[in-house]
Amino acid sequence: MDFKHCQVLPEPKGDLLGLFTDLDETYWSDHHPAFTLEERRKFEMTLAEEAQKRPILFAWVTGARLPLVLERARKHQIELLPHCIASGLGVEIHYIDLKSRKLIIDAQWEDCIVNSGFSAKAVHEFINQFSKKTALHFTLHAGHHLSPFKVGFYFRDTQTNENEAVFKHLREYAKTQGWFVNISHCVKGAEDPEDSFNIEFLPDICGKKSVGQYIAKHYGTARENTIAYRDWE
């Protein structure tokens, strides 16, 4: 995506107000009538005006991988850039250079991810064994979801209490392995299958909350001055 035409907020420093937003079904949507281009333009304009009155940190925190984030940003005609993008549920953090509009990866965070000890192979082996034992079917994510440090599956909603029992077991096992597991309903606008759940395994330092806290600390944003908003999940 060419960021050169986009507006940027002033450099985030000082007594910051931190704004963290999810993207799909929060900052934009392909099918919900309330998410209009006009409404988001108003928000972008208001945010730009407020940033002239007080220092603001604006961050995107999303489960989507960076290439898909940039593709959707182009599709939804984004005109105001965030200061940083945490993608893949925190697998990667990129900062946007305010002059060049280029993305700069957070090398320190990248080292933490690489040295986390996370094993995609171990996740695959666990899910294969669990699937055979329970006769439950898990469909591996593909395409834009792929990452050495993020392994995801689709799990069809059983519409029974069995869901919670499965999720409890996955969370408990992930904890013993030092993994973070994210379980959420699939998002229609994200081209995921309907009536299914996303189940994603990552290093235990990942997750929207954890990466949001890291970014806030990086910029020196106080917790009481931080606002995060996302969809109903």
Side-chain angles (χ1 to χ4, degrees), residues 60-121:
W60 291 354
V61 182
T62 177
R65 296 295 312 286
L66 184 63
L68 186 59
V69 172
L70 301 183
E71 177 185 322
R72 289 175 179 164
R74 184 187 304 111
K75 176 181 179 181
H76 291 282
Q77 303 176 46
I78 292 299
E79 290 192 350
L80 178 68
L81 295 180
H83 292 110
C84 63
I85 302 172
S87 55
L89 288 174
V91 169
E92 293 179 331
I93 300 174
H94 289 83
Y95 304 102
I96 296 178
D97 185 276
L98 301 185
K99 293 183 179 180
S100 67
R101 309 292 204 274
K102 292 183 179 179
L103 292 167
I104 302 172
I105 195 165
D106 185 322
Q108 180 179 344
W109 182 255
E110 184 180 37
D111 286 343
C112 291
I113 296 294
V114 171
N115 296 320
S116 66
F118 181 80
S119 170
K121 180 181 178 181

Side-chain angles (χ1 to χ4, degrees), residues 186-198:
C186 288
V187 178
K188 182 178 180 181
E191 301 177 355
D192 291 333
E194 295 183 15
D195 301 322
S196 296
F197 290 92
N198 267 317

Side-chain angles (χ1 to χ4, degrees), residues 152-167:
F153 304 86
Y154 296 120
F155 175 69
R156 180 70 67 177
D157 189 349
T158 64
Q159 303 292 331
T160 68
N161 293 332
E162 184 179 30
N163 286 343
E164 288 306 316
V166 170
F167 299 158

Side-chain angles (χ1 to χ4, degrees), residues 2 27 39-40 100:
D2 185 0
Y27 200 61
E39 289 299 317
R40 200 185 60 252
S100 67

